[in-house]
Amino acid sequence: MRILVFALAVAGCSSDSTKTVDAPKAGVDSPAGTTLTIKNVFSWCSVTVAGGTASTAAVITTHVPPGQITLTAKGAGTFILGPDMWHHVDGTTGNTGVAGTVAGDTSTAKITVGATAACAWVCCPFPNGSGCATGAPDNLGDLCP
């Protein structure tokens, strides 16, 4: 019995078997793209990158082709959209945030990426608007220095 199992294992590793793998294409989450990291403060937002699957992960890392990438966010649970929720996206300078383009319960922002890794961060505040300030009292600071 051991010889039969060994023979089958060796046959399965034969050099005659081939496997074709397509080369990576430059697109969302392709290793050929630029690394884009979105930091989702406290996981308070549901975030999508370039129309991908929504995520409440604290850090979303993906690969995108260089160019302008669309980001969207909705408040997760009871959290809401804020007036300065997006940071390090197009239209922001330093650690100043923007609301993005708001339609209903969704905020849309754009980030232009080049050949080097890029980072943006987003925070959906409590219903009273607190929890996402870069200065006092929340002291989030700059999450993508």
Side-chain angles (χ1 to χ4, degrees):
M1 182 67 159
R2 285 186 209 167
I3 294 173
L4 178 59
V5 171
F6 178 76
L8 289 173
V10 170
C13 296
S14 167
S15 62
D16 292 339
S17 65
T18 59
K19 187 176 188 180
T20 303
V21 178
D22 292 333
K25 296 180 176 101
V28 175
D29 215 21
S30 165
T34 300
T35 300
L36 174 61
T37 301
I38 307 298
K39 296 183 179 181
N40 181 5
V41 178
F42 306 122
S43 300
W44 290 350
C45 303
S46 177
V47 179
T48 65
V49 177
T53 303
S55 173
T56 56
V59 177
I60 302 163
T61 301
T62 188
H63 297 89
V64 296
Q68 194 174 57
I69 306 300
T70 300
L71 309 172
T72 64
K74 295 181 179 188
T78 61
F79 298 97
I80 64 170
L81 302 179
D84 60 352
M85 61 189 285
W86 292 104
H87 299 264
H88 293 274
V89 296
D90 296 353
T92 61
T93 56
N95 202 32
T96 303
V98 295
T101 302
V102 177
D105 65 349
T106 304
S107 172
T108 302
K110 307 264 186 187
I111 184 170
T112 301
V113 299
T116 59
C119 177
W121 64 274
V122 62
C123 185
C124 293
F126 288 110
N128 70 2
S130 68
C132 293
T134 56
D138 302 319
N139 295 318
L140 290 180
D142 188 356
L143 303 179
C144 292

